[in-house]
Amino acid sequence: MALTKVRAGGVNLADTFAFTGTVSGTSLDHILTTDVSDGDASVIFNSTYITTAYRSYEVRITGYEPVTDATQLRCYPSIDNGSNFVATIQSGRLYRQVDNGSQNGMEAHSNDSYFQVGGNIGNDDNQTASAIVQLTGITSAVHRKWIFSKLVGKHNANAYMWNAGVNIPTNSAINYLKFQSSSGNITAGRFSLYGVKS
């Protein structure tokens, strides 16, 4: 196909256009978005969406609000499409109050079937949390999985940020992720899954 070059400022996109084909030059491919608005128990990305087409994935979460006050957002990974969950996950988090640098600390968990994306998130109206979970190399069948996550949201009466590192000790490919609150349903939130080009 011949390449058509357009001068800078030469295209007006004010009208509606239908784009076909693949957009190149981006690092993420959008796969699926799930919007929660009626108190779902969990958000699941199964083996239909998590395949070896991508070695790494990213989940972007906006507007997360739990039904129950002071609950954690958790992620349960599986190597068999949700029949079982990896039971020996290790994770650690650093946290800091956004408006008070002296309010900070760390916490760790081990031998869990989930990793905690953030701390105790409040359920007050219009005080939601947002997060990015980077699932590096999760479809590899060669090595352990190392995950990064960042979340910022309301904890008690203040805003906090959490940075987490996770070790999922399995050499098997992960093909299923379940996000849910540690207690109660999810009131609201947008969960978007992206495949990472590498």
Side-chain angles (χ1 to χ4, degrees):
M1 174 190 303
L3 177 65
T4 301
K5 295 185 178 180
V6 179
R7 287 185 298 119
V11 176
N12 182 350
L13 296 178
D15 204 347
T16 301
F17 294 88
F19 290 93
T20 59
T22 303
V23 177
S24 62
T26 61
S27 60
L28 301 175
D29 284 340
H30 178 255
I31 297 170
L32 178 71
T33 292
T34 299
D35 287 311
V36 177
S37 60
D38 56 357
D40 293 338
S42 60
V43 173
I44 293 170
F45 300 113
N46 62 26
S47 62
T48 300
Y49 307 105
I50 301 176
T51 70
T52 55
Y54 299 95
R55 189 177 177 96
S56 301
Y57 286 82
E58 183 170 297
V59 177
R60 295 186 178 189
I61 303 162
T62 57
Y64 165 73
E65 182 182 337
V67 169
T68 307
D69 192 24
T71 59
Q72 302 97 33
L73 178 59
R74 295 175 174 176
C75 179
Y76 295 78
S78 172
I79 63 172
D80 56 11
N81 203 32
S83 295
N84 299 282
F85 297 102
V86 180
T88 54
I89 297 172
Q90 301 166 330
S91 62
R93 284 161 306 287
L94 302 175
Y95 61 87
R96 178 178 293 274
Q97 186 175 327
V98 171
D99 59 352
N100 185 341
S102 66
Q103 296 297 319
N104 60 75
M106 62 187 83
E107 53 193 11
H109 292 274
S110 61
N111 297 318
D112 291 322
S113 60
Y114 63 87
F115 62 88
Q116 192 172 308
V117 179
N120 296 334
I121 305 301
N123 66 347
D124 295 330
D125 288 340
N126 303 316
Q127 302 225 8
T128 60
S130 294
I132 295 177
V133 182
Q134 296 173 315
L135 302 133
T136 307
I138 64 167
T139 60
S140 168
V142 176
H143 57 76
R144 290 184 171 202
K145 316 306 182 269
W146 302 96
I147 311 301
F148 306 94
S149 71
K150 298 178 182 182
L151 182 142
V152 61
K154 185 178 180 241
H155 169 74
N156 295 328
N158 302 103
Y160 275 78
M161 57 182 251
W162 289 266
N163 290 319
V166 180
N167 172 20
I168 303 177
T170 179
N171 291 342
S172 299
I174 291 170
N175 61 4
Y176 182 102
L177 300 169
K178 177 173 74 171
F179 290 87
Q180 73 179 42
S181 298
S182 58
S183 176
N185 287 349
I186 301 171
T187 299
R190 169 167 282 195
F191 293 72
S192 296
L193 178 69
Y194 294 86
V196 180
K197 295 179 179 177
S198 57

